[in-house]
Coordinates of all heavy atoms in Angstrom, one line a residue:
F1 N -56.3 -101.5 -39.6 CA -55.4 -100.8 -40.5 C -55.8 -101.2 -42.0 O -55.9 -100.3 -42.9 CB -54.0 -101.2 -40.2 CG -53.0 -100.3 -41.0 CD1 -52.7 -99.1 -40.6 CD2 -52.4 -100.8 -42.2 CE1 -51.8 -98.3 -41.3 CE2 -51.5 -100.0 -42.9 CZ -51.2 -98.7 -42.4
A2 N -56.1 -102.5 -42.2 CA -56.4 -103.0 -43.5 C -57.8 -102.4 -44.0 O -58.0 -102.0 -45.1 CB -56.5 -104.5 -43.5
C3 N -58.7 -102.3 -43.0 CA -60.0 -101.7 -43.3 C -59.8 -100.2 -43.7 O -60.5 -99.7 -44.6 CB -61.0 -101.8 -42.2 SG -61.6 -103.5 -41.9
G4 N -59.0 -99.5 -43.0 CA -58.7 -98.1 -43.3 C -58.1 -97.9 -44.7 O -58.5 -97.0 -45.4
L5 N -57.2 -98.8 -45.0 CA -56.6 -98.7 -46.4 C -57.7 -99.0 -47.4 O -57.7 -98.3 -48.5 CB -55.5 -99.7 -46.5 CG -54.2 -99.4 -45.7 CD1 -53.2 -100.5 -46.0 CD2 -53.6 -98.1 -46.1
A6 N -58.6 -99.9 -47.2 CA -59.7 -100.2 -48.1 C -60.5 -99.0 -48.3 O -61.0 -98.7 -49.4 CB -60.5 -101.4 -47.6
L7 N -60.8 -98.2 -47.2 CA -61.6 -97.0 -47.4 C -60.9 -96.0 -48.2 O -61.5 -95.3 -49.1 CB -61.9 -96.4 -46.0 CG -63.0 -97.1 -45.2 CD1 -63.1 -96.5 -43.8 CD2 -64.3 -97.1 -45.8
L8 N -59.6 -95.8 -48.0 CA -58.8 -94.8 -48.8 C -58.8 -95.3 -50.3 O -59.0 -94.4 -51.2 CB -57.4 -94.8 -48.3 CG -57.1 -94.0 -47.0 CD1 -55.7 -94.0 -46.6 CD2 -57.5 -92.5 -47.2
S9 N -58.7 -96.5 -50.5 CA -58.8 -97.1 -51.9 C -60.1 -96.7 -52.5 O -60.2 -96.2 -53.6 CB -58.5 -98.6 -51.9 OG -58.7 -99.1 -53.1
L10 N -61.2 -97.0 -51.8 CA -62.5 -96.7 -52.3 C -62.7 -95.2 -52.6 O -63.4 -94.8 -53.5 CB -63.6 -97.3 -51.3 CG -65.0 -97.1 -51.7 CD1 -65.3 -97.9 -53.0 CD2 -65.9 -97.7 -50.6
A11 N -62.2 -94.4 -51.7 CA -62.4 -92.9 -51.8 C -61.8 -92.4 -53.1 O -62.3 -91.3 -53.5 CB -61.8 -92.2 -50.6
T12 N -60.8 -93.0 -53.7 CA -60.3 -92.5 -54.9 C -61.2 -92.7 -56.1 O -61.1 -92.0 -57.1 CB -58.9 -93.1 -55.2 OG1 -59.1 -94.5 -55.6 CG2 -58.0 -93.0 -54.0
H13 N -62.0 -93.7 -56.0 CA -62.9 -94.0 -57.2 C -62.1 -94.2 -58.5 O -62.7 -93.8 -59.5 CB -64.0 -93.0 -57.3 CG -65.0 -93.0 -56.2 ND1 -65.3 -91.9 -55.4 CD2 -65.8 -94.1 -55.7 CE1 -66.2 -92.3 -54.5 NE2 -66.5 -93.6 -54.6
G14 N -60.9 -94.6 -58.4 CA -60.1 -94.8 -59.6 C -59.6 -93.6 -60.2 O -59.0 -93.6 -61.3
A15 N -59.7 -92.4 -59.5 CA -59.3 -91.1 -60.1 C -57.8 -90.8 -59.8 O -57.3 -89.8 -60.3 CB -60.2 -90.0 -59.6
R16 N -57.2 -91.6 -58.9 CA -55.8 -91.4 -58.6 C -55.0 -92.7 -58.9 O -55.4 -93.8 -58.7 CB -55.7 -91.1 -57.1 CG -56.4 -89.9 -56.6 CD -55.7 -88.6 -57.2 NE -56.3 -87.4 -56.7 CZ -57.3 -86.8 -57.4 NH1 -57.7 -87.3 -58.6 NH2 -57.8 -85.6 -57.0
Y17 N -53.8 -92.4 -59.4 CA -52.9 -93.6 -59.8 C -51.5 -93.1 -59.8 O -51.2 -91.9 -59.9 CB -53.4 -94.1 -61.1 CG -53.4 -93.1 -62.3 CD1 -52.3 -92.8 -63.0 CD2 -54.6 -92.5 -62.6 CE1 -52.3 -91.8 -64.0 CE2 -54.7 -91.6 -63.6 CZ -53.6 -91.2 -64.3 OH -53.6 -90.3 -65.3
L18 N -50.6 -94.1 -59.9 CA -49.1 -93.8 -60.1 C -48.8 -94.0 -61.6 O -49.1 -95.1 -62.1 CB -48.3 -94.7 -59.2 CG -48.4 -94.5 -57.7 CD1 -47.6 -95.6 -57.0 CD2 -48.0 -93.1 -57.3
D19 N -48.3 -93.1 -62.2 CA -48.0 -93.2 -63.7 C -46.6 -93.6 -63.9 O -45.6 -92.9 -63.6 CB -48.2 -91.8 -64.3 CG -48.3 -91.9 -65.8 OD1 -47.9 -93.0 -66.4 OD2 -48.8 -91.0 -66.5
F20 N -46.4 -94.8 -64.5 CA -45.1 -95.3 -64.8 C -44.8 -95.4 -66.3 O -44.2 -96.3 -66.8 CB -44.9 -96.7 -64.2 CG -44.8 -96.7 -62.7 CD1 -45.9 -96.9 -61.9 CD2 -43.6 -96.4 -62.1 CE1 -45.8 -96.9 -60.5 CE2 -43.5 -96.4 -60.7 CZ -44.6 -96.7 -59.9
E21 N -45.3 -94.3 -67.0 CA -45.2 -94.2 -68.4 C -45.9 -95.3 -69.2 O -46.9 -95.1 -69.8 CB -43.7 -94.2 -68.8 CG -42.9 -93.0 -68.2 CD -43.3 -91.7 -68.7 OE1 -43.9 -91.6 -69.9 OE2 -43.1 -90.6 -68.1
H22 N -45.3 -96.5 -69.2 CA -45.9 -97.6 -70.0 C -47.1 -98.2 -69.3 O -47.9 -99.0 -69.9 CB -44.9 -98.7 -70.2 CG -43.8 -98.2 -71.1 ND1 -44.0 -97.8 -72.4 CD2 -42.5 -98.1 -70.9 CE1 -42.8 -97.5 -73.0 NE2 -41.9 -97.6 -72.1
F23 N -47.3 -98.0 -68.0 CA -48.5 -98.5 -67.3 C -48.8 -97.6 -66.1 O -48.0 -96.8 -65.6 CB -48.2 -99.9 -66.9 CG -47.1 -100.1 -65.9 CD1 -47.3 -100.1 -64.5 CD2 -45.8 -100.3 -66.4 CE1 -46.3 -100.2 -63.6 CE2 -44.7 -100.4 -65.5 CZ -45.0 -100.4 -64.1
K24 N -50.0 -97.8 -65.6 CA -50.4 -97.0 -64.4 C -50.8 -98.0 -63.3 O -51.3 -99.1 -63.6 CB -51.7 -96.2 -64.7 CG -51.4 -95.1 -65.7 CD -52.6 -94.3 -66.0 CE -52.4 -93.1 -66.9 NZ -51.9 -93.5 -68.3

């Protein structure tokens, strides 16, 4: 499960994020 999450994380290449106004 942890490896699968790591793959999903890598697949975003930093192009996806949660925007909390003052920080992401």
Side-chain angles (χ1 to χ4, degrees):
F1 190 81
C3 288
L5 290 180
L7 285 175
L8 283 178
S9 173
L10 182 60
T12 70
H13 292 124
R16 297 292 181 266
Y17 54 84
L18 296 176
D19 194 343
F20 289 97
E21 299 292 338
H22 294 295
F23 62 93
K24 295 179 175 65

